[in-house]
Amino acid sequence: MAPIDTTKDRPAAPSAGPRQDLHDVLAHVRGFAPQHRFPSVDEIVERADRIAAAHPDVVGRRRIGTSRLGEPLHEYVVGSGPDVLVIGGVHPNEPIGFHTALQLLDDLAGGAGPAASAGARWHVVPCIDPDGARLNESWFADPGDRVHYARGFYRPAPDEQVEWSFPLDHGSAYFDRSIPEAVAVARLVDRLRPAMVVGLHNGELGGVYYYLDRDVDGVVAALQELPARLGLPLDRGEPETPEAVPHAPGVFRTLSSASTHDWLIAQGIDPSGHVSGGGLADYVAPYGSVTFVAELPYWSHADSDDVSDAGVPYSEVLRRKADDLTELGAVLTDALDRARPHMQIDSPLRRASEVFVPHMARAGQTERDRAATVDPRRNATVAEVFSNGDLVRCFRLRYGSMLHRALTAEVVAGTATPQVRAARDELDRHLEDWYAEASSVTGLTTWPIERLVAVQYASTVLVAAAAVRERGRP
């Protein structure tokens, strides 16, 4: 492979601004080829390496680290100008970014499209957590079925996630047990001091929304307009976490562990059970990097974009959510408590369950406390009713299924005692009810993968162009 050019040239011909960028990027992404599945880890590596090998004078390939199970981690570098770092697979159950990263790399290698003319030196890490991604591959070939997705779901415990295992020393929060994948990213950030850092995330059900630390060069309005221009809804429901601060509908200030810690303290909540390590935004903050995340839904519902009055008090919606989360926590806690003394396999699924199961009960209490603080005269919107209810549904499917997989691993390995089998069988009965309830939701739209990739790709390029203009100014 060719050596990586370390020059920091400014863009020769910056674009006119976010409006022109939006026009250019829309023209490009509308031509993306249909996709019907997500690539496996082996396919991601093979395709990225093939692109680099086909363009040895354009694409640099550099090893940046090693995964916990021994897989090499690489970045692919193209272009010159202010550095833009794009990381795929920061949460391994969010694979839309695998296609986005590979499409971006392919376009950059061929000098095609608005990414190549953004004036940036792009650093693309297609899959930062191959170990976690492999635990989700069972549903990658059929991602449209929500129950099938849930049965194969895996999300690491927070201190084993790349996103939330960066060093943290803020208030009462301290963390210094970064996983190797996060260490690899941290070294990369320290070397680059990038103009922009992008984590390629995605949501699950709802509309499109974003996290952006600031409205760089007036890009927020273009981000809001983008989904509708590609036929997707902008999410106007309840934020995924109550401390999210909106710049505008559908665009929130980037989340960080430091900001979450401070919000919890302000609410009178002990942050120790809610904050583990730092996020990517915490780590890059000293460098002044623009941080950006586009969250895309696999599925949408018309109610998630409906801001009309639902005719029910918002406090009542929150109390209902609190009751449901508390009940979910009780069911999962009972299964885990019964099985734990007899479990012998220290799997990632078990470690994740040990964290997320008790979190459900705490989340219920947090929502109950929040309900007591809102104006009792304020009615919820239809979108808020739907998104609060669906978050409970999401957690039932995710964390119930993941605990079931952990218990099933004991059965498959031949180490399950009668107590473990009984706990799994009882959980299985609850899961079948939750799967049936999820399947009964009507009006869901399953979005074509290429359209989701188009929104993530386009929004990334929009913000990158804006960040490059900002970094290039004297």
Side-chain angles (χ1 to χ4, degrees), residues 307-332:
V307 295
S308 64
D309 190 331
V312 57
Y314 182 53
S315 58
E316 181 180 325
V317 172
L318 294 181
R319 283 192 294 269
R320 187 185 312 150
K321 178 183 181 183
D323 291 343
D324 289 342
L325 288 174
T326 301
E327 179 185 13
L328 171 60
V331 169
L332 299 184

Side-chain angles (χ1 to χ4, degrees), residues 8 22 98 110 175 213 328 352 362 414:
K8 304 278 187 173
L22 180 61
F98 296 153
F175 183 87
D213 62 313
L328 171 60
R362 290 197 299 268

Side-chain angles (χ1 to χ4, degrees), residues 50 59 181 192 210 219 263 282 285 288 328 460:
R50 179 159 34 91
V59 182
E181 295 87 344
L192 300 178
Y210 312 95
V219 76
W263 181 86
D282 294 282
L328 171 60
T460 296

Side-chain angles (χ1 to χ4, degrees), residues 224-248:
Q224 287 184 290
E225 183 179 344
L226 172 61
R229 298 287 294 273
L230 291 169
L232 272 75
L234 185 71
D235 197 297
R236 299 177 184 274
E238 185 82 4
E240 64 174 314
T241 183
E243 70 267 25
V245 177
H247 293 295

